[in-house]
Structures are given as structure tokens and as C-alpha cells.
Amino acid sequence: CLYRVLWIVCRAICVSVFGVRARFVEPLPERGGLIVLSSHQRHLDPVLLGVACNRRLSSLARSSLYAFKPFGALITALDAIPIDRKASAVVAMKKVIGRLEEGAAVIIFPEGTRTATGRLGELKAGFALIAKRAAVPIVPVAIVGAWECWPKTRLFPRPGRVRVEFGRLIGAEEVAALDDQALVAECAARIAALDAAGRAARGT
């Protein structure tokens, strides 16, 4: 109930203030583990992805965010996955794989950090190992316009126009058939194409 209420409130804000529009090349699977592999522009991105989908999404959250217990309880209710950045990457990967094996749809930002320029960065290969171990499909996504709404020079976001472009699903069989390098290259090419489509739709 909490997730649904927050989804409605956040969607209303995102559509009215940021003009969020989402486009899907094909519907997302309604159930089963899924990696939502997205470009990363600003702090708003997990919310933008969440309100664009009818399916419930899980995102990664720094373990330090759980120190304030009311906020920790809130993000736990929203299916966040706590990640300790001081722990090994293997521990973090196991947590994500476990959630995927339980049937969750998990957001991963393969660039590893928010863009500094508004343009796509290089994809890191960790997601490929996670997708193969969990045997789940990947949907590539590009977020366009969030960087312009909330540039580093501003303390708070401003109104704008945001596009969330969801690409064609890369099935679990296709994920398994590609080696890590080829899978990263394929995802990078698809996200770049989606980014270009989003910029064309925005006229930027």
C-alpha cells in the first residue's frame, strides 16, 4: 500500500513538474527476475524509473542511509537493497543476485556513478556477471533530460522535460550466449541508441 501511494504521488509530481514521458519498445515482463539497466544522470533517476513502470522496482541503497531508522524503514518498505560500499563487491553482487532469484526487478546503473556532463559514460562489466549468475533478462534504458533539470550547479531541481526510453528486452538465453565483453558492448550500443532517440524526441 505504501509503495502504491508513493508511486501515485511521485508520478503526479514527475509528470507535472518534469514532464516525464516514457516509451516502451515492448512491455516489460510482469513477473520474474529482471535487470533494469539504465543510464544515470541525477539523484532523481530511481524515482523516474519507478514512476515510468507499473511493475515494482528495487534499487540499490547505501547502507549508511539506514542509520536514520525512519528513513531506513521507508526505503526497506520500497524494496531497496542495502549495499555496504566498504564491503567487497562480491558481497554486494550476491545480494543483488539473491533478490533477482526471488523474482524482483532490480535497477542497476552500469556507469557506476552519475554523469558529470549529461552524456553517457563507459559501462562497467559487473552487471554482466550478475545477469548470467541469476539467469535473468536485461532491459536497457536511457534517461534523458534529468541532468538538465538538476545540474550540479543547482541545489534543487527545476522544471523541465524528461524522457525515459525502454528498449527491447535481452532475453536470459541471449545473455547466457554472449560473453561478458560482447554483452557489455551490446548493452552500451542499445543504451546509446535509446539516449539518441530520447534527445531527438526532446529536440536536444
Side-chain angles (χ1 to χ4, degrees), residues 141-173:
V141 187
I143 298 172
V144 180
W147 190 82
E148 288 80 1
C149 287
W150 200 351
K152 283 190 172 183
T153 55
R154 291 182 64 91
L155 183 60
F156 298 105
R158 62 189 176 193
R161 294 181 298 123
V162 176
R163 298 278 306 189
V164 186
E165 300 277 340
F166 288 80
R168 183 177 65 82
L169 198 73
I170 304 174
E173 298 82 4

Side-chain angles (χ1 to χ4, degrees), residues 176-198:
L178 295 171
D179 62 37
D180 288 2
Q181 185 175 359
L183 181 57
V184 172
E186 178 67 18
C187 290
R190 294 197 188 193
I191 292 175
L194 292 167
D195 181 80

